[in-house]
Amino acid sequence: MPGAIHAEGLVKTFGDVRALDGVDLDVPEGTVLGLLGPNGAGKTTTVRVLTTLLRPDSGRAVVAGLDVLKQPNEVRRSIGLSGQFAAVDEYLTGRENLQMVGQLYQMSGRAAKARAVELLERFNLTDAADRPTKTYSGGMRRRLDLAAALVVSPPVMFMDEPTTGLDPRNRQQLWEVIQELVAGGTTLLLTTQYLEEADHLAHDICVVDHGKVIARGTSDQLKQRTGGERVEVVVHRPDEIEPARSVLAGFGKGEVAVETHTRRLTVPVAGGAKLLAEVIRELDGRGVEIDDIGLRRPTLDDVFISLTGHAAETGAAPEDGEADESGEDPRTRKETDQ
């Protein structure tokens, strides 16, 4: 049975750019899917299609049991969306923004006011509640936009890089909010460039690149694809890099990676803590002084690099082919159902 979010063969082009090239997704109810990929991979286009802001050239999608193309208005009533850019009215106060969203969802005036108070407190905006949002910092606007997406506690949520611009304390707070929502049965599709965020929140992860899903699975399953454990060594002096490389090559199951400027060497191994003790003895026998040594599992950063060829890029730069020619955020303009 299809999940709360289900997509088959989504294709979307912008001129010569094929932003989506047959994307398939399935997100079970009450779970979090982390959508990872470099800038321009198709993450935001996927979100816009699933939230009815863009029509795909081909393929189909169902959200909360509703067909995205045939029932767009019903889909919009059943979802919450926090996009890459804060969509708040800068001339209204924070309180007024939240109350307006509640009333647009046909909440009573009293219920909208009560919900606004609750969300302002949850996102640490109470002190600024009655200031025009044009006086807010970027991080405060981001938090207000996230609060607006949660006014009606929808069964399905889409968050497109929600914690970009947030400080660590507010990011941790949002993670707690997300976990509360999911524990209550909300289904969430989350795009992020913070791989720690996906590792912490997502039940399953899809990696997209050039408009295609190139890998999917749990965090542990994806990490296993990059290999097993790795020994990482930081030597004390630059002239000790070569002898340390020679030692690690004798123990490793692959090429020794060297970062000259940090004097760091890394090699995949098999053998666990026992092998690490042998490496330390051998380095000591060669007279190599080490500042740090450890045995670690692959991270999602390693997965990302192995799959896409480079590290994740933090920030909310527009994806190639995804921004409107006008540069407008599509949530701020009227959509015409076709």
Side-chain angles (χ1 to χ4, degrees):
M1 183 176 178
I5 303 172
H6 183 76
E8 297 177 3
L10 293 181
V11 173
K12 182 65 182 177
T13 58
F14 298 91
D16 295 332
V17 178
R18 200 170 179 87
L20 299 182
D21 192 10
V23 169
D24 297 329
L25 295 174
D26 193 72
V27 189
E29 185 176 344
T31 67
V32 180
L33 175 70
L35 199 60
L36 305 184
N39 288 335
K43 304 184 302 298
T44 296
T45 297
T46 300
V47 170
R48 290 179 178 174
V49 167
L50 293 173
T51 56
T52 79
L53 296 178
L54 284 175
R55 291 181 64 88
D57 299 328
S58 61
R60 64 183 294 268
V62 175
V63 174
L66 302 164
D67 190 290
V68 168
L69 294 178
K70 297 177 181 178
Q71 302 165 284
N73 290 330
E74 290 84 350
V75 169
R76 292 168 193 159
R77 295 189 190 103
S78 303
I79 64 173
L81 167 64
S82 177
Q84 283 191 7
F85 306 100
V88 296
D89 188 320
E90 63 179 13
Y91 294 102
L92 298 180
T93 67
R95 189 187 309 277
E96 289 168 342
N97 266 282
L98 297 181
Q99 289 177 189
M100 177 185 68
V101 172
Q103 290 176 316
L104 287 172
Y105 275 99
Q106 301 181 338
M107 295 174 67
S108 69
R110 179 177 294 181
K113 287 180 181 179
R115 184 61 171 158
V117 169
E118 179 185 343
L119 289 169
L120 288 165
E121 183 176 351
R122 176 180 278 189
F123 285 90
N124 290 328
L125 291 169
T126 301
D127 291 344
D130 297 310
R131 283 168 37 196
T133 56
K134 65 182 179 181
T135 68
Y136 284 19
S137 68
M140 291 170 68
R141 290 190 187 203
R142 191 71 179 130
R143 279 146 52 201
L144 182 63
D145 182 66
L146 292 166
L150 298 175
V151 165
V152 294
S153 301
V156 178
M157 281 286 302
F158 295 86
M159 293 187 174
D160 194 5
E161 302 194 17
T163 59
T164 297
L166 297 185
D167 60 41
R169 181 172 64 88
N170 283 306
R171 183 176 297 132
Q172 180 65 44
Q173 184 181 43
L174 178 62
W175 289 1
E176 292 171 1
V177 170
I178 289 173
Q179 288 170 327
E180 290 173 12
L181 287 170
V182 175
T186 299
T187 304
L188 173 64
L189 189 149
L190 169 77
T191 80
T192 181
Q193 297 277 14
Y194 296 107
L195 302 186
E196 178 192 5
E197 188 162 88
D199 213 354
H200 188 79
L201 295 174
H203 296 91
D204 288 290
I205 294 170
C206 277
V207 182
V208 295
D209 200 13
H210 300 294
K212 297 181 179 181
V213 175
I214 60 174
R216 70 182 74 204
T218 66
S219 177
D220 284 342
Q221 287 169 342
L222 292 178
K223 289 173 184 178
Q224 289 171 5
R225 291 184 54 165
T226 66
E229 299 167 320
R230 301 174 184 205
V231 167
E232 189 175 274
V233 177
V234 178
V235 297
H236 187 64
R237 299 188 308 274
D239 61 1
E240 294 174 314
I241 290 176
E242 284 306 315
R245 187 209 298 265
S246 176
V247 170
L248 293 180
F251 289 97
K253 299 296 182 181
E255 184 177 351
V256 180
V258 178
E259 298 176 10
T260 304
H261 63 293
T262 59
R263 308 183 306 283
R264 185 183 307 273
L265 301 90
T266 307
V267 66
V269 297
K274 181 179 179 181
L275 179 136
L276 182 62
E278 295 175 5
V279 171
I280 293 172
R281 283 196 294 269
E282 185 67 20
L283 288 169
D284 185 59
R286 297 277 192 98
V288 176
E289 187 176 354
I290 56 176
D291 289 343
D292 190 26
I293 188 168
L295 186 71
R296 67 179 181 89
R297 295 182 61 212
T299 65
L300 277 183
D301 290 273
D302 298 321
V303 173
F304 201 96
I305 291 170
S306 69
L307 291 172
T308 68
H310 56 82
E313 302 155 330
T314 58
E319 297 191 357
D320 294 342
E322 293 189 353
D324 294 338
E325 291 182 5
S326 65
E328 294 179 309
D329 182 338
R331 291 182 298 164
T332 65
R333 65 166 199 268
K334 263 187 164 178
E335 292 291 325
T336 301
D337 297 334
Q338 299 178 13

